[in-house]
Amino acid sequence: MGWTRTTTQVLHRGPFVTLHRDDVVRPDGSPGVYEHVAVDDGVRIVALNGAGDVVLVEDDFYLPQRRMIHLPGGGTDGQDPHTAALRELEEETGLIADTLRPLGILDPLPSTTKARTHLFLATGLRPGRQARESTEVGMTVLRWPLGEAVEAVRASQITEATSVAALLLAHLAADPDA
Amino acid sequence: MGWTRTTTQVLHRGPFVTLHRDDVVRPDGSPGVYEHVAVDDGVRIVALNGAGDVVLVEDDFYLPQRRMIHLPGGGTDGQDPHTAALRELEEETGLIADTLRPLGILDPLPSTTKARTHLFLATGLRPGRQARESTEVGMTVLRWPLGEAVEAVRASQITEATSVAALLLAHLAADPDA
């Protein structure tokens, strides 16, 4: 039977977060209230060069109050995920990808938001017109062998969930017998 | 320099979601507004039996409006993550784990919430006192060889990001040369 929605209202509409409250009927038949947030869908890109290095970025995150290493990516900002991925890759790393293939779709926090994150594998990398490393203030671009990025995941140096999943998926794809 | 917070206010405090709005100074020095949500920290458990099967659960998710296969887990509900993991494992699968080891910590959506998800590897599984499969309405318990679960991840049949990351981490741990 699953869940059904009786009514829905917007409690707050902000520039990045919209908060909804729905009246629902739970799977057990009881009435309930379900609050959830709408945020932009996301993209994350595993960009691999010919030497097998992956491009990572490091920047300041407000909520954890620390620098985090993660894959290039961000919100789709109303674009289709493929277009958004190419845009984010160039904005954050200065790179254009000749080939962009889907690597999967994730639900980062499906009890709280419908927002999904689209993963891509980018190859055929070349410098973009911007001819710089990053347009983001304080962002550092890193190039690590994919195996070292996987070790950083295992050591909890990379903790952003969609980057973790995408790096491990790319590692599996690079060695299907793994 | 990073981000700094000037003021903070609670826009809404609900049973599961609290919405905050902070006035901030961005890394480039400009003033801004940052809205974010507080939700419970989470736990996810990779429970492996002696045959190398992993325990998964399937249930109805409200927001995606579909059944999702994921690892046992849920909110910490104020408990320390280790205690919460043992509780969630027994509630959802009827199993007690003699050994519970940390497998990592993830940030599922760090631009939107500080909430973290704690991953564990559970072994030494035996039936709990509850002697049933699950206390959750409509939840189905599955036992799959770990390799099949990894294939389900690669086929996007499992998309909940922390389950994806934890299954791939457990797969790597089971075969460190992979």
Side-chain angles (χ1 to χ4, degrees), chain B residues 107-166:
Chain B
D107 297 292
L109 206 59
S111 295
T112 303
T113 179
K114 287 182 196 180
R116 310 196 82 187
T117 299
H118 302 260
L119 309 181
F120 294 94
L121 187 66
T123 51
L125 305 178
R126 55 189 166 86
R129 287 175 307 168
Q130 302 186 38
R132 57 186 156 180
E133 283 288 274
S134 175
T135 60
E136 310 284 333
V137 171
M139 184 173 274
T140 307
V141 178
L142 310 168
R143 282 174 185 77
W144 288 0
L146 182 56
E148 283 187 22
V150 169
E151 284 311 303
V153 164
R154 298 185 68 188
S156 286
Q157 291 176 305
I158 299 175
T159 59
E160 190 275 314
T162 66
S163 294
V164 166

Side-chain angles (χ1 to χ4, degrees), chain A residues 1-7 11-19 21-24 27-28 33-37 39 44 60-66 68 103-117 137-138 150-151 153-154 156 158-162 164-165 168-169 171-178, chain B residues 1-7 11-19 21-24 27-28 33-37 39 44 60-66 68 103-117 137-138 150-151 153-154 156 158-162 164-165 168-169 171-178:
Chain A
M1 299 294 291
W3 299 74
T4 56
R5 185 174 73 184
T6 311
T7 66
L11 295 182
H12 174 77
R13 192 181 301 276
F16 299 109
V17 176
T18 300
L19 178 63
R21 175 157 55 194
D22 299 352
D23 291 312
V24 299
D28 67 1
V33 168
Y34 203 114
E35 292 179 352
H36 55 101
V37 301
V39 295
R44 290 278 168 214
D60 295 299
F61 271 62
Y62 173 60
L63 294 176
Q65 281 291 307
R66 60 184 171 89
M68 295 180 73
L103 190 62
I105 302 182
L106 298 175
D107 297 291
L109 207 59
S111 296
T112 302
T113 179
K114 289 182 196 179
R116 310 195 82 187
T117 299
V137 172
V150 169
E151 284 311 302
V153 164
R154 298 185 69 188
S156 287
I158 299 174
T159 58
E160 191 274 315
T162 65
V164 167
L168 297 179
L169 280 168
H171 176 66
L172 265 185
D175 182 5
D177 296 328
Chain B
M1 297 296 291
W3 298 74
T4 55
R5 185 174 73 184
T6 312
T7 67
L11 295 183
H12 173 78
R13 192 181 302 276
F16 300 108
V17 176
T18 299
L19 177 64
R21 175 158 54 194
D22 299 352
D23 291 310
V24 299
D28 67 2
V33 169
Y34 202 113
E35 293 180 351
H36 56 101
V37 301
V39 295
R44 291 278 167 212
D60 295 299
F61 271 62
Y62 173 59
L63 294 176
Q65 282 289 309
R66 61 183 170 89
M68 293 180 74
L103 189 62
I105 302 182
L106 298 175
D107 297 292
L109 206 59
S111 295
T112 303
T113 179
K114 287 182 196 180
R116 310 196 82 187
T117 299
V137 171
V150 169
E151 284 311 303
V153 164
R154 298 185 68 188
S156 286
I158 299 175
T159 59
E160 190 275 314
T162 66
V164 166
L168 297 179
L169 280 169
H171 175 65
L172 266 184
D175 182 4
D177 296 328

